[in-house]
């Protein structure tokens, strides 16, 4: 048996449990907040969740020998404003798929050693090597910290070497069955086109602010099951949260809990309203709360 056959056989053994997990797992019924969310637990991000659910099914089909690795997306880029839940999505995706998650970022690479070019490239190689063999999701945050190789900025040669190192590692990892590279950024237009072509970060997924219909799910994600049961209909609270990122909603829930503890009662909608009133809002948010 060849080395590649051994890797494929090992990968399929490790992915066998995905056959029963190719649909997102149900939300936790524990009273404690969800610690390891699945795609079923997060609200909003419809396009990203649909892609993630399809990827989980594809991995299960690969494990069952129904499809080849060539049928599975090699990578994806999530882009959108800060705080919209891109990192949380990747964590939930790895949990849903039942695979390892290796999370890194440009900041991690630049902090390696004294930040000289050789140290940065070594850090990039280290993370890609750690992801192989699969099954694994390698997550690269802050990818828009890298300018394009022809940005016209000072030190273009240095940046070009870093981008080329990432492209080289992505080219190598593309042949490793079971490894999927996902990156995140705030400014999609800043990325080098070579990173985005087919075979690399080929799936481009926008992640925007949650809609009013999305917000009850986002709020529920930050609540325990007991809190969600006591609050009941979350739509009135969702109206208060329009224009917020998922990170903002998480902060609001924490502040509402603090209010409930101060007033010595279970969490109530008025605790959220008080949290909003104590924060800084713009005129549009004041108008929504008043309505």
């Amino acid at each position: 048996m060849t080395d590649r056959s051994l890797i494929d056989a090992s990968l399929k053994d490790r992915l066998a449990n995905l056959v029963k997990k190719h649909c997102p797992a149900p939300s936790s019924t524990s009273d404690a907040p969800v610690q390891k969310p699945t795609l079923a637990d997060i609200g909003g991000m419809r396009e990203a969740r649909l892609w993630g659910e399809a990827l989980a099914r594809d991995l299960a089909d690969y494990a069952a020998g129904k499809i080849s690795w060539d049928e599975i997306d090699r990578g994806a880029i999530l882009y959108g404003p800060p705080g919209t839940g891109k990192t949380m999505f990747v964590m939930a995706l790895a949990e849903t798929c039942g695979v390892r998650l290796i999370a890194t970022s440009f900041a991690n690479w630049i902090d390696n050693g004294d930040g000289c070019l050789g140290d940065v490239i070594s850090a990039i190689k280290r993370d890609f090597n750690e992801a192989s063999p699969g099954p694994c999701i390698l997550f690269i945050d802050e990818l828009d910290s890298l300018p394009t190789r022809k940005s016209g900025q000072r030190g273009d040669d240095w940046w070009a070497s870093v981008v080329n190192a990432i492209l080289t590692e992505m080219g190598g990892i593309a042949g490793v069955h079971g490894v999927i590279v996902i990156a995140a950024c705030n400014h999609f237009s800043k990325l080098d086109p070579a990173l985005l072509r087919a075979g690399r970060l080929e799936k481009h997924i926008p992640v925007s602010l949650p809609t009013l219909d999305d917000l009850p799910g986002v709020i529920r994600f930050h609540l325990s099951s007991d809190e969600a049961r006591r609050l009941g209909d979350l739509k009135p609270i969702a109206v208060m949260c329009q224009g917020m990122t998922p990170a903002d909603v998480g902060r609001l829930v924490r502040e509402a809990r603090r209010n409930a503890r101060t007033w010595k009662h279970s969490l109530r909608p008025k605790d959220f309203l008080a949290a909003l009133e104590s924060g800084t809002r713009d005129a549009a948010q004041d108008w929504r709360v008043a309505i």
Side-chain angles (χ1 to χ4, degrees):
M1 185 177 288
T2 66
D3 290 345
R4 172 56 58 201
S5 298
L6 286 170
I7 291 174
D8 282 353
S10 173
L11 172 64
K12 289 185 179 182
D13 287 342
R14 296 166 72 183
L15 283 172
N17 66 321
L18 295 180
V19 177
K20 295 182 179 180
K21 294 183 65 177
H22 65 277
C23 292
S27 302
S28 171
T29 57
S30 169
D31 284 342
V34 176
Q35 298 299 314
K36 291 186 176 181
T38 67
L39 294 178
D41 297 312
I42 60 177
M45 295 185 279
R46 172 178 167 77
E47 185 172 346
R49 281 193 295 110
L50 289 175
W51 175 77
E53 290 163 4
L55 177 65
R57 290 193 296 270
D58 286 345
L59 287 172
D61 286 344
Y62 174 76
K66 296 178 181 179
I67 62 174
S68 68
W69 185 252
D70 292 338
E71 302 298 319
I72 297 176
D73 288 342
R74 309 298 171 82
I77 178 77
L78 305 169
Y79 62 94
T84 47
K86 298 181 287 293
T87 300
M88 180 183 69
F89 168 81
V90 177
M91 294 172 60
L93 176 63
E95 186 68 17
T96 299
C97 294
V99 300
R100 285 188 303 139
L101 173 63
I102 296 174
T104 189
S105 67
F106 176 73
N108 288 341
W109 294 336
I110 204 73
D111 283 344
N112 187 66
D114 60 6
C116 72
L117 181 60
D119 289 337
V120 173
I121 291 176
S122 294
I124 293 170
K125 290 182 177 179
R126 177 200 64 210
D127 287 337
F128 276 86
N129 287 338
E130 187 180 351
S132 177
C136 179
I137 290 175
L138 174 60
F139 175 53
I140 308 171
D141 204 359
E142 308 167 355
L143 195 62
D144 50 352
S145 298
L146 294 171
T148 64
R149 287 170 293 176
K150 297 180 179 179
S151 64
Q153 294 185 16
R154 182 180 178 182
D156 259 1
D157 290 345
W158 191 93
W159 290 109
S161 296
V162 174
V163 174
N164 286 336
I166 296 171
L167 293 173
T168 298
E169 295 303 320
M170 282 189 178
I173 212 77
V176 179
H177 292 199
V179 179
I180 298 165
V181 181
I182 301 178
C185 70
N186 299 328
H187 305 288
F188 182 78
S189 61
K190 292 185 177 181
L191 298 179
D192 192 295
L195 292 167
L196 306 175
R197 72 162 176 80
R200 289 173 180 159
L201 303 176
E202 56 190 10
K203 186 68 176 178
H204 308 155
I205 307 171
V207 181
S208 56
L209 292 175
T211 66
L212 180 58
D213 289 337
D214 294 333
L215 280 167
V218 176
I219 297 166
R220 188 175 293 106
F221 173 80
H222 293 284
L223 300 173
S224 70
S225 58
D226 184 58
E227 288 171 334
R229 178 181 57 80
R230 288 176 180 274
L231 287 169
D233 183 11
L234 297 177
K235 192 67 173 286
I237 299 174
V239 171
M240 302 180 200
C241 297
Q242 287 183 92
M244 289 186 174
T245 67
D248 291 332
V249 172
R251 173 187 53 78
L252 182 67
V253 171
R254 291 193 299 273
E255 292 180 2
R257 283 199 185 106
R258 185 178 300 115
N259 289 337
R261 290 195 301 270
T262 299
W263 296 324
K264 295 180 172 56
H265 59 225
S266 59
L267 192 62
R268 299 174 185 177
K270 71 176 186 179
D271 299 320
F272 289 85
L273 185 57
L276 279 172
E277 290 174 341
S278 66
T280 301
R281 303 191 308 270
D282 57 24
Q285 196 168 12
D286 281 336
W287 177 258
R288 288 195 295 272
V289 172
I291 293 296

